[in-house]
Amino acid sequence: MQFITHLPGSSALVLDSPHSGVSYPPDFLYTCEMSILRKAEDTHVEKLYDFAPGLGAHWIEALFPRSYLDANRNITELDVSLLDEPWPHPVATDPAVLSKVRLGKGLIWRTTDDGFPIYERSLSVNEVMHRIEQCWTPYHAAVAEAIDAAHAAHGYSIHVNCHSMPAVASSHATNFPGEKHADFVVGDRDGSTASTALSRLVCAHLEALGYRVAYNHPYKGVELVRRYSDPAAQRHSIQLEINRKLYMNEETLELTAGFDTLKTHLRSLVELLLKTDPRLL
């Protein structure tokens, strides 16, 4: 089974989609309904950006599902209550980091966004290690390689971590259940993963297209933007969340008439970033 797609580019722009995978490995052995489990996916995000490699952007995509392993979590963000034996590796202790683990959304998900248990069994240490080795490690290696290549060729890199979000936050999805989301959320971990000028440029572009844009709320960005960014060294990472109501039916997962318009607007954003040198902002 192929676990990731990595298409090297020629530009300073790197895009990655860690949560749009739909290839469910046979060793997943989940017990909740597939229709419920699929709502964990950032469904169709890879289709929204499928033009990007043709424009020279680097592209990395997870083919495994987020509920199997969440590549946007640190490997220390493990819910050890899932295991049938002690975990032999370090585990995060920071309460802020563990907030998602408490919601059942750590490296290995315990529950869906609506709180449905995914397993009726315990997992082994070897099982979790296999997922890390097959999914997390190659995915992170690809993102790091792409950002290094972009930076080496151009003296800077712009990394956009591509996501989608439900129109309304579910009970176990964030620390703000029931919140109605904006059309887009731009996150840079409060200016720590990208220059605020670059983040504001993204916000302003989307707002000019008529969208309602939130900045660092309720999604600031997580592991992939944290781990591979260094704005002082001109390595900029932004997490971009898109409201699913703009392009799909959240119940049936079918694309809607808004998909083509949204994709056109995303192409305009990508084209803007391709010609933006953050050192000049």
Side-chain angles (χ1 to χ4, degrees):
M1 175 178 174
Q2 185 180 351
F3 288 95
I4 72 166
T5 294
H6 177 195
L7 303 175
S10 57
S11 72
L13 181 62
V14 177
L15 305 178
D16 85 287
S17 178
H19 293 160
S20 56
V22 296
S23 297
Y24 284 72
D27 65 357
F28 195 168
L29 302 179
Y30 56 87
T31 50
C32 68
E33 293 290 332
M34 172 58 87
S35 60
I36 294 172
L37 196 58
R38 286 211 63 193
K39 292 187 178 179
E41 301 165 6
D42 283 359
T43 315
H44 305 306
V45 163
E46 79 288 352
K47 298 181 182 71
L48 285 168
Y49 293 95
D50 64 10
F51 59 84
L55 298 179
H58 300 256
W59 175 257
I60 303 97
E61 173 189 347
L63 305 180
F64 55 88
R66 171 194 202 177
S67 51
Y68 180 72
L69 177 135
D70 191 337
N72 205 23
R73 297 284 156 205
N74 195 313
I75 54 175
T76 62
E77 294 178 61
L78 182 66
D79 185 342
V80 294
S81 71
L82 281 167
L83 304 179
D84 62 5
E85 56 187 322
W87 181 246
H89 304 292
V91 175
T93 56
D94 184 335
V97 171
L98 291 175
S99 64
K100 284 286 192 175
V101 176
R102 288 193 295 271
L103 289 170
K105 303 297 182 312
L107 177 72
I108 308 293
W109 281 29
R110 184 181 75 248
T111 67
T112 67
D113 279 342
D114 294 312
F116 291 100
I118 292 175
Y119 303 99
E120 291 178 359
R121 64 184 183 91
S122 296
L123 280 65
S124 71
V125 166
N126 284 342
E127 192 173 2
V128 174
M129 287 303 301
H130 176 74
R131 296 187 191 188
I132 292 171
E133 291 163 3
Q134 295 293 314
C135 301
W136 194 96
T137 299
Y139 190 86
H140 277 255
V143 172
E145 179 183 331
I147 291 174
D148 284 348
H151 190 273
H154 298 276
Y156 67 90
S157 57
I158 298 175
H159 166 218
V160 179
N161 186 224
C162 305
H163 295 266
S164 69
M165 58 187 173
V168 179
S170 301
S171 61
H172 290 64
T174 72
N175 292 320
F176 306 95
E179 179 169 322
K180 292 183 178 180
H181 291 141
D183 296 323
F184 284 88
V185 178
V186 176
D188 60 12
R189 294 177 68 88
D190 297 320
S192 66
T193 66
S195 78
T196 53
L198 180 63
S199 298
R200 293 293 185 186
L201 179 71
V202 172
C203 291
H205 183 80
L206 295 170
E207 287 168 347
L209 291 169
Y211 294 109
R212 190 165 64 92
V213 181
Y215 183 34
N216 283 316
H217 179 84
Y219 303 103
K220 295 179 184 291
V222 199
E223 184 64 11
L224 283 155
V225 297
R226 183 200 70 80
R227 182 175 286 260
Y228 300 111
S229 62
D230 185 356
Q234 297 301 328
R235 293 172 180 257
H236 304 272
S237 291
I238 290 172
Q239 180 172 295
L240 186 63
E241 296 272 0
I242 303 171
N243 196 315
R244 292 174 194 151
K245 71 179 182 182
L246 295 174
Y247 69 92
M248 64 176 277
N249 182 311
E250 292 189 71
E251 293 304 313
T252 67
L253 309 185
E254 296 293 321
L255 294 173
T256 60
F259 173 81
D260 289 336
T261 298
L262 174 62
K263 188 172 180 178
T264 298
H265 289 160
L266 287 173
R267 185 182 182 108
S268 73
L269 175 63
V270 167
E271 289 173 341
L272 172 66
L273 294 176
L274 284 168
K275 64 184 182 184
T276 296
D277 184 338
R279 297 171 297 189
L280 304 178
L281 295 177

